[in-house]
Amino acid sequence: DAMVIQNPRYQVTQFGKPVTLSCSQTLNHNVMYWYQQKSSQAPKLLFHYYDKDFNNEADTPDNFQSRRPNTSFCFLDIRSPGLGDAAMYLCATSIEVSGANVLTFGAGSRLTVL
Amino acid sequence: GQNIDQPTEMTATEGAIVQINCTYQTSGFNGLFWYQQHAGEAPTFLSYNVLDGLEEKGRFSSFLSRSKGYSYLLLKELQMKDSASYLCAPQDSNYQLIWGAGTKLIIKP
């Protein structure tokens, strides 16, 4: 089945220790997104790629970086995680960025910072 | 600014009907989405409205009034598995999704 797969599902790290989260998709979608979601809050868009074009949200901290080496894969790097970065990180894909832009989400990566 | 307003939590009984309201203010408008999110899981797509009126899809229906900046999600014949958060998300003029914090729906037997 075509899908969006995130690894790892659960990540525990220490304060300041870099973390990389991965996302892969078999949908061949043009657009890939990274969202941060804290408990009982709205998902917060960190950045998205349209093909290889990178779009960073204005309020995304520099501590968060991303790479998309090819259509299928996208990575989220958190260079120096702080306690406030503990959250669920959601990867999503869509065919386009306009119109009925339905997002398909991965299962998420839950990050715990000790 | 852009703002989404939906109730934090609602409770309903199995087999009943519930309506979850959402009011929004966005810079431009290009349709509105509803997503369902079970606890600890990712959101899944429920519905999309771009024109005024009611869209029905099985037990779930979604309504939109663009002039009022208002939408609702109607769930019929509630089942225990419908216990989840329901997120309202309009698209602004740049096709950016503006997410609400979601309404947590609790279904009681």
Side-chain angles (χ1 to χ4, degrees), chain A residues 22-75:
Chain A
S22 74
C23 178
S24 65
Q25 56 129 341
T26 59
L27 298 162
N28 205 31
H29 282 176
N30 293 315
V31 193
M32 294 188 79
Y33 307 79
W34 279 106
Y35 281 91
Q36 178 194 65
Q37 188 179 27
K38 298 184 178 180
S39 182
S40 301
Q41 295 186 20
K44 179 182 182 300
L45 182 63
L46 297 174
F47 20 63
H48 75 274
Y49 283 89
Y50 186 100
D51 288 334
K52 293 197 171 187
D53 292 336
F54 177 69
N55 297 271
N56 196 30
E57 293 303 299
D59 58 354
T60 298
D62 292 339
N63 195 28
F64 292 88
Q65 302 287 317
S66 184
R67 298 168 282 138
R68 189 180 186 186
N70 55 53
T71 302
S72 301
F73 285 89
C74 196
F75 299 93

Side-chain angles (χ1 to χ4, degrees), chain B residues 17-100:
Chain B
I17 298 173
V18 71
Q19 179 175 311
I20 302 174
N21 296 323
C22 171
T23 57
Y24 62 88
Q25 290 178 304
T26 55
S27 301
F29 180 79
N30 280 300
L32 184 143
F33 293 82
W34 284 94
Y35 281 80
Q36 179 191 59
Q37 186 175 25
H38 285 100
E41 298 182 12
T44 56
F45 169 74
L46 286 178
S47 67
Y48 172 72
N49 294 65
V50 67
L51 299 176
D52 291 350
L54 189 68
E55 295 274 347
E56 297 187 74
K57 194 188 291 187
R59 293 190 299 114
F60 292 9
S61 302
S62 55
F63 172 84
L64 175 67
S65 169
R66 289 171 294 172
S67 63
K68 294 181 180 178
Y70 169 69
S71 174
Y72 68 72
L73 183 68
L74 189 72
L75 292 76
K76 302 177 185 176
E77 301 170 18
L78 286 170
Q79 301 175 9
M80 297 304 292
K81 68 178 182 180
D82 298 330
S83 293
S85 288
Y86 292 86
L87 291 87
C88 170
Q91 276 189 139
D92 68 11
S93 57
N94 294 321
Y95 293 96
Q96 177 152 331
L97 282 173
I98 311 301
W99 293 88

